[in-house]
């Protein structure tokens, strides 16, 4: 069984060479070597033991790849089609994660001539022409069922793939207040540099990470 990541990650990139071709990709890596459980009476995640065995590396290559720097910079890059699974025997190219573990998504900008070895079933290539970005705000804990009913309601209302569960006549005010109460819903701006990638101007560049609404 697989699920789309919700909320989905969306990024805005600037500072690329408009005429250069790039791949955009994402992988998701463990934050630590722990397994967690949710304690209902205290509404907290607690360490429950050591992490399970590592899973095979998987990479989501954005379907618009490769594209020119000009193309990437004029659009918001969404990872809403990325699919996750806890099936270690998956042969569909989905990203494999263990349930009840903490993970960090990473966005990779890869110059086309450095992406010859890029594959959904191999680690991201390293070296010149490859740059990775990650944001602590996007660390998440994997679950097979939501531990918080408010999050379940939030997903039903906001996830475009859950439209069948919506009640079109429901009063939205309570949910809108809930959305505003979540700090992660407010996008944060980071100043990053692409100067490590040859062919990209050496200047500060903004990359906006927004958790999808």
């Amino acid at each position: 069984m697989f699920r789309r990541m919700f909320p989905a990650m969306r990024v805005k990139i600037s500072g690329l060479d408009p005429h250069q071709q790039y791949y955009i990709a994402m992988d998701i890596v463990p934050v630590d070597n722990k397994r967690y459980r949710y304690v209902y009476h205290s509404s907290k995640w607690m360490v429950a033991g050591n992490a399970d065995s590592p899973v095979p590396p998987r990479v989501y290559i954005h379907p618009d790849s490769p594209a020119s720097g000009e193309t990437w910079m004029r659009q918001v890059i969404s990872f809403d089609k990325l699919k996750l699974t806890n099936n270690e025997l998956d042969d569909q190219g989905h990203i494999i994660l263990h349930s009840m573990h903490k993970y960090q998504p990473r966005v990779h900008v890869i110059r086309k001539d450095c992406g010859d070895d890029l594959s959904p079933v191999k680690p991201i290539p390293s070296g010149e022409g490859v740059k990775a970005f990650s944001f602590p705000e996007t660390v998440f804990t994997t679950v097979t069922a939501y531990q918080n009913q408010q999050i379940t309601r939030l997903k039903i209302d906001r996830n475009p793939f859950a439209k069948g569960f919506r009640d079109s006549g429901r009063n939205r005010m309570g949910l809108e207040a809930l959305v505003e109460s979540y700090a992660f819903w407010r996008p944060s701006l980071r100043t990053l540099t692409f100067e490590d990638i040859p062919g990209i101007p050496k200047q500060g560049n903004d990359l906006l990470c927004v958790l999808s609404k």
Side-chain angles (χ1 to χ4, degrees), residues 1-9 26-29 55-56 58-60 79-106 138-144 146 155 159 161:
M1 182 177 181
F2 70 86
R3 294 194 182 275
R4 296 177 189 268
M5 187 166 70
F6 177 84
M9 217 172 134
M26 177 181 285
D27 65 356
I28 301 177
V29 295
V55 296
R58 291 287 174 88
V59 174
Y60 175 79
F79 294 90
D80 59 336
K81 295 182 180 179
L82 183 151
K83 297 175 182 177
L84 309 176
T85 182
N86 61 354
N87 177 12
E88 296 184 41
L89 301 178
D90 174 81
D91 60 359
Q92 302 299 308
H94 305 326
I95 291 183
I96 304 172
L97 305 177
H98 288 305
S99 184
M100 300 299 189
H101 290 59
K102 284 188 178 181
Y103 289 96
Q104 170 73 72
R106 302 187 302 184
T138 61
V139 170
F140 65 94
T141 303
T142 50
V143 295
T144 53
Y146 287 116
K155 180 173 181 179
N159 186 356
F161 302 102

Side-chain angles (χ1 to χ4, degrees), residues 15 23-24 27 42 53 66 110 113 135 151 162-164 204 209:
Y23 291 95
I24 301 294
D27 65 356
S42 59
S53 302
I110 305 162
D113 60 320
F135 307 92
I151 295 297
K163 291 180 180 178
C209 178

Side-chain angles (χ1 to χ4, degrees), residues 12 135 137 186-192 206-209:
K12 179 72 175 174
F135 307 92
E137 297 90 341
R186 301 176 178 88
S188 58
L189 190 65
R190 296 290 192 232
T191 300
L192 304 168
D206 294 333
L207 190 152
L208 183 68
C209 178

Side-chain angles (χ1 to χ4, degrees), residues 112-163:
K112 183 180 179 182
D113 60 320
C114 302
D116 293 341
D117 295 329
L118 187 62
S119 166
V121 295
K122 293 181 180 179
I124 293 282
S126 59
E128 189 176 291
V130 179
K131 186 74 173 178
F133 302 100
S134 60
F135 307 92
E137 297 90 341
T138 61
V139 170
F140 65 94
T141 303
T142 50
V143 295
T144 53
Y146 287 116
Q147 310 298 307
N148 184 322
Q149 291 302 311
Q150 291 180 321
I151 295 297
T152 301
R153 291 177 54 214
L154 182 66
K155 180 173 181 179
I156 289 173
D157 193 80
R158 293 286 178 163
N159 186 356
F161 302 102
K163 291 180 180 178

Side-chain angles (χ1 to χ4, degrees), residues 66-78:
S68 67
E70 179 183 16
T71 298
W72 290 123
M73 290 188 291
R74 69 170 178 240
Q75 68 185 49
V76 174
I77 304 167
S78 175

Side-chain angles (χ1 to χ4, degrees), residues 31-66:
V31 170
D32 54 30
N33 61 351
K34 305 296 182 183
R35 180 167 42 85
Y36 292 82
R37 65 185 177 92
Y38 189 74
V39 182
Y40 286 92
H41 69 268
S42 59
S43 299
K44 292 182 179 178
W45 287 96
M46 304 291 290
V47 173
N50 293 327
D52 294 330
S53 302
V55 296
R58 291 287 174 88
V59 174
Y60 175 79
I61 303 171
H62 195 281
D64 292 345
S65 299

